[in-house]
Amino acid sequence: MKTKHKELNNWIDEMVKMCKPEKVVLIDGSLKQKLVLEKEAFETGELIELNQEKLPGCVLHRTAINDVARTENLTFICTSSKEDAGPTNNWMNPEDGYHKAAEIFKSSMVGRTMYVIPFSMGPIGSPFSKIGVELTDSIYVVDNMLVVTRVGQKVLDFLGTDGKFTKCLHSKADLDINKRLILHFPEDNTIWSVGSGYGGNVLLGKKCMALRIASYLGRQEGWMAEHMLILGVEKPTGEINYVAAAFPSACGKTNLAMMVPPEGLKVKGYKVWTVGDDIAWMRIKEDDSLWAVNPESGFFGVAPGTNSKSNPNAVKTIQKDTIYTNVLLKTDGTVWWENGDGPIPSEGIDWMGNPWKPGIIGDDGKPKKGANPNSRFTAPASQCPSISPRFNDPEGVPITAIIFGGRRASVAPLVYQSFGWNHGVFLGSIMASEITAAQYGAQGMVRRDPMAMIPFCGYNMADYFKHWLEMGSKMKNPPKIFHVNWFKTNKEGQFLWPGYGDNLRVLEWIIDRSNEKISAYKSPIGYMPYKKDLDLNGLDINEEVLDKLFDININEWVKETKDIKEFYAKFGSKLPEELNIELNDLIDRLG
Ligand code: SAT
Ligand code: MN
């Protein structure tokens, strides 16, 4: 297999020498080739064909049992200097990284095919876009990359004979957790991932390239790669405001990005447009404001909890040409997951491939789940009923507001606005959230996750904060910055806010504030809404609950500032002074 690109050919040759595949196949992006590969995967069991009448073009894949989420402890930034990776990343020096991984990659593809996937993150040829080439021995990876990135000959044509690209190497090897490494070499624009078959570890265009490598490039080149959804809210006048919002994994980004206006707000005639559900690449344009594209072309969403009520647009998106991972297989060849649509099936095959019935007890003494809590669907963005007409716009969309959010049972109110850009960066930097099933770790424990980038920032996070501050100072019309928390609970642990479509009520306030249409009151932590400015039409919520949603508990916040101080201390003298000033100002305001 030869392309017109000499460096690419040389690199493939080198990787072939190490991995020793039986053959090398170029992925051309055609449906014909995809079907041939899927057929092969049905035969080996790598993929399972689903009921083609009910779910045309859909397949199921089961990962290894110990390979169901990103393994952050096995994910490394390999830079010459440890300081460049910073205190929040695992670090390995590049030489060690290449050496250790090569030991696992060596002959890992014997008897297998190496697929060469040329892909573009962002519309091909857009000023935002970047090209990568992933080499992999997994048809599942090929199938997913065909959905979440733009793949094929057209990418190679654009790359020409000497275009720049990110070198992405992946092998399942033995799927052995003790021989698993996800390594990033930002100085070489290279990613090596071995020993895993799970999404975020192996779809190298996604978290590895579009966040870790891209954030590194963005700092050098003066743009931003963020863990953010992008959505547009259109008024009946046709005016559309786009917002970008950062939430940690499995905190409802996909649901928010595809939200449907709630009953009571329908009279206002809003339309919500989905631009992206996970990643935003943002640049300052000639108009001195911030513009964004979604570098992906599909969604890799969490299945459990997705149903016609929580996310009707997602349900419609995943009826065809969708890859399901680690969900329950029903006897009729369709799929199911906890809190999905339809009745709980009376039997099926669970995500581990075992016979399942509701209520059967697992080794841990708890009822076994049919679908893994981090089971996923991979579906083309083009199938989403709310996909923005500007989804493929190479120029992107202008961003009116940036929203940071976490999953907090207490402390953070439903919504508040920063006093300005630097204070907004501070709000991003102090983001915290409870750990979810999307990452290995003690679930429910609160961890600091600045800008939802703690697992995804490809360099020293103190420099990342500095980059954020600098980007703001370069813009005459920067987006306004907000913080939201949909997950505040009462003493009984029940959510105070209904969430989902009703979040549009909060977005409406955010957009009006951004366009300076309404006032707000100053609290110690930021600008807060007057209750009269939140449209609660059709929502059954009482004053007491509302007060709780906006309550600022000074004691909790004082404790929070101590926690932030401790977190900031990790960065030593590298922490930008602006953030210390913001923290001290907050402490002063709290009295
Ligand atoms: O597995 S992914 O990293 O792609 C999804 C997520 O955890 O956000
Ligand atoms: Mn994500």
Side-chain angles (χ1 to χ4, degrees):
M1 201 224 80
K2 283 275 172 277
T3 69
K4 289 194 205 126
H5 197 291
K6 203 166 151 226
E7 190 191 343
L8 174 58
N9 292 339
N10 290 345
W11 172 63
I12 296 174
D13 285 347
E14 230 181 285
M15 298 304 106
V16 164
K17 258 190 213 141
M18 175 167 68
C19 302
K20 299 202 171 48
E22 191 177 298
K23 57 180 190 227
V24 180
V25 169
L26 175 70
I27 299 303
D28 60 16
S30 71
L31 176 65
K32 194 173 148 212
Q33 186 186 42
K34 176 182 129 125
L35 295 177
V36 169
L37 292 180
E38 283 186 346
K39 192 155 172 276
E40 200 181 311
F42 297 149
E43 277 155 23
T44 61
E46 185 177 357
L47 295 177
I48 295 165
E49 188 172 33
L50 293 170
N51 183 325
Q52 292 303 294
E53 243 158 62
K54 292 183 177 164
L55 293 170
C58 294
V59 299
L60 168 67
H61 173 76
R62 297 191 192 109
T63 64
I65 289 170
N66 62 10
D67 193 21
V68 296
R70 279 179 290 101
T71 32
E72 291 174 11
N73 58 321
L74 302 174
T75 301
F76 290 81
I77 302 296
C78 306
T79 41
S80 329
S81 132
K82 185 170 183 194
E83 202 185 348
D84 288 345
T88 60
N89 280 311
N90 299 315
W91 174 82
M92 221 188 267
N93 90 47
E95 216 178 297
D96 283 354
Y98 283 125
H99 182 76
K100 277 193 185 152
E103 287 300 309
I104 314 172
F105 273 115
K106 251 180 223 164
S107 304
S108 61
M109 297 188 190
V110 170
R112 297 181 187 172
T113 303
M114 174 191 274
Y115 301 100
V116 178
I117 315 170
F119 64 92
S120 175
M121 299 312 292
I124 296 169
S126 148
F128 286 83
S129 299
K130 298 278 177 201
I131 286 178
V133 179
E134 176 160 357
L135 312 180
T136 179
D137 53 6
S138 158
I139 293 179
Y140 171 72
V141 168
V142 172
D143 236 16
N144 274 273
M145 289 292 284
L146 283 168
V147 177
V148 298
T149 74
R150 293 149 170 101
V151 170
Q153 186 57 45
K154 51 193 193 280
V155 177
L156 282 184
D157 293 344
F158 183 76
L159 195 61
T161 54
D162 59 357
K164 268 198 192 154
F165 66 99
T166 303
K167 299 180 174 111
C168 307
L169 175 67
H170 166 250
S171 171
K172 299 181 279 193
D174 302 329
L175 292 175
D176 177 353
I177 195 164
N178 298 310
K179 292 192 209 156
R180 183 176 300 163
L181 286 171
I182 295 97
L183 306 182
H184 305 72
F185 304 90
E187 291 154 4
D188 303 337
N189 201 2
T190 294
I191 302 159
W192 279 19
S193 163
V194 67
S196 172
Y198 169 75
N201 287 340
V202 300
L203 311 179
L204 300 185
K206 196 172 170 61
K207 296 297 169 46
C208 299
M209 175 172 159
L211 286 177
R212 297 196 190 97
I213 295 290
S215 60
Y216 179 93
L217 292 174
R219 178 181 171 227
Q220 288 182 334
E221 298 169 2
W223 53 281
M224 306 165 97
E226 299 298 330
H227 192 200
M228 290 179 178
L229 65 91
I230 310 165
L231 67 78
V233 179
E234 180 172 347
K235 293 194 174 151
T237 57
E239 179 196 336
I240 307 182
N241 283 279
Y242 294 92
V243 304
F247 294 83
S249 299
C251 284
K253 283 205 299 294
T254 306
N255 292 345
L256 187 63
M258 297 181 190
M259 83 157 71
V260 173
E263 266 320 307
L265 279 196
K266 280 212 174 115
V267 286
K268 287 186 167 167
Y270 285 121
K271 272 195 210 133
V272 176
W273 296 112
T274 309
V275 182
D277 79 327
D278 197 35
I279 300 175
W281 283 2
M282 306 198 283
R283 284 178 181 271
I284 302 172
K285 286 278 198 66
E286 304 74 39
D287 65 351
D288 267 325
S289 52
L290 199 62
W291 289 61
V293 299
N294 168 13
E296 300 188 276
S297 60
F299 309 117
F300 183 64
V302 178
T306 304
N307 58 52
S308 297
K309 218 175 143 239
S310 65
N311 194 339
N313 283 325
V315 170
K316 287 178 192 140
T317 306
I318 60 180
Q319 296 308 314
K320 60 172 187 178
D321 299 327
T322 295
I323 304 158
Y324 291 96
T325 305
N326 292 341
V327 297
L328 178 109
L329 176 63
K330 297 207 294 187
T331 47
D332 68 348
T334 62
V335 291
W336 181 84
W337 46 82
E338 279 69 20
N339 293 315
D341 277 336
I344 299 174
S346 57
E347 60 178 319
I349 308 286
D350 71 10
W351 66 272
M352 292 182 273
N354 299 319
W356 179 91
K357 276 187 174 25
I360 54 167
I361 303 297
D363 294 338
D364 58 359
K366 291 187 197 145
K368 269 193 183 179
K369 293 217 179 342
N372 183 277
N374 193 37
S375 55
R376 299 267 170 171
F377 54 76
T378 319
S382 59
Q383 290 177 189
C384 179
S386 59
I387 196 70
S388 163
R390 287 173 74 175
F391 173 72
N392 281 311
D393 191 333
E395 294 303 314
V397 295
I399 299 297
T400 304
I402 289 175
I403 303 172
F404 295 120
R407 178 185 282 270
R408 297 295 300 267
S410 65
V411 187
L414 180 62
V415 60
Y416 61 107
Q417 181 186 359
S418 76
F419 295 126
W421 182 269
N422 283 9
H423 182 231
V425 176
F426 171 71
L427 296 190
S429 78
I430 65 167
M431 260 173 72
S433 197
E434 291 154 18
I435 290 185
T436 68
Q439 60 274 129
Y440 283 102
Q443 274 168 42
M445 203 183 86
V446 171
R447 74 163 171 181
R448 296 272 150 211
D449 189 355
M451 285 83 170
M453 283 288 279
I454 213 95
F456 306 121
C457 182
Y459 59 103
N460 192 314
M461 203 148 212
D463 291 328
Y464 169 80
F465 295 149
K466 192 153 167 254
H467 182 48
W468 262 86
L469 293 163
E470 280 169 5
M471 288 294 288
S473 67
K474 283 189 208 157
M475 277 180 278
K476 278 210 195 79
N477 310 304
K480 301 289 192 291
I481 302 181
F482 298 80
H483 188 282
V484 301
N485 177 21
W486 317 132
F487 301 95
K488 216 172 176 196
T489 58
N490 61 16
K491 281 201 198 86
E492 288 72 46
Q494 292 151 330
F495 293 121
L496 294 169
W497 180 247
Y500 302 110
D502 286 300
N503 292 336
L504 183 59
R505 301 174 193 278
V506 176
L507 287 188
E508 190 184 29
W509 183 79
I510 286 174
I511 289 167
D512 283 346
R513 277 297 294 167
S514 302
N515 294 323
E516 291 167 13
K517 294 228 168 93
I518 49 173
S519 56
Y521 69 90
K522 226 172 161 173
S523 81
I525 64 168
Y527 291 117
M528 304 274 292
Y530 289 113
K531 276 190 247 169
K532 67 169 174 52
D533 289 327
L534 268 191
D535 189 337
L536 300 175
N537 188 26
L539 182 64
D540 186 16
I541 191 165
N542 66 39
E543 281 295 308
E544 200 190 326
V545 172
L546 216 51
D547 287 339
K548 276 202 191 119
L549 279 165
F550 288 107
D551 177 47
I552 297 164
N553 181 319
I554 299 289
N555 288 338
E556 274 181 358
W557 272 94
V558 169
K559 196 169 154 276
E560 189 78 359
T561 56
K562 289 183 182 143
D563 214 68
I564 296 166
K565 226 182 200 155
E566 220 170 89
F567 178 67
Y568 273 2
K570 280 190 185 187
F571 301 101
S573 59
K574 248 187 172 296
L575 187 87
E577 193 42 33
E578 290 89 335
L579 294 184
N580 270 323
I581 293 172
E582 291 297 337
L583 176 58
N584 289 329
D585 287 354
L586 171 63
I587 293 171
D588 285 349
R589 289 193 302 268
L590 290 167

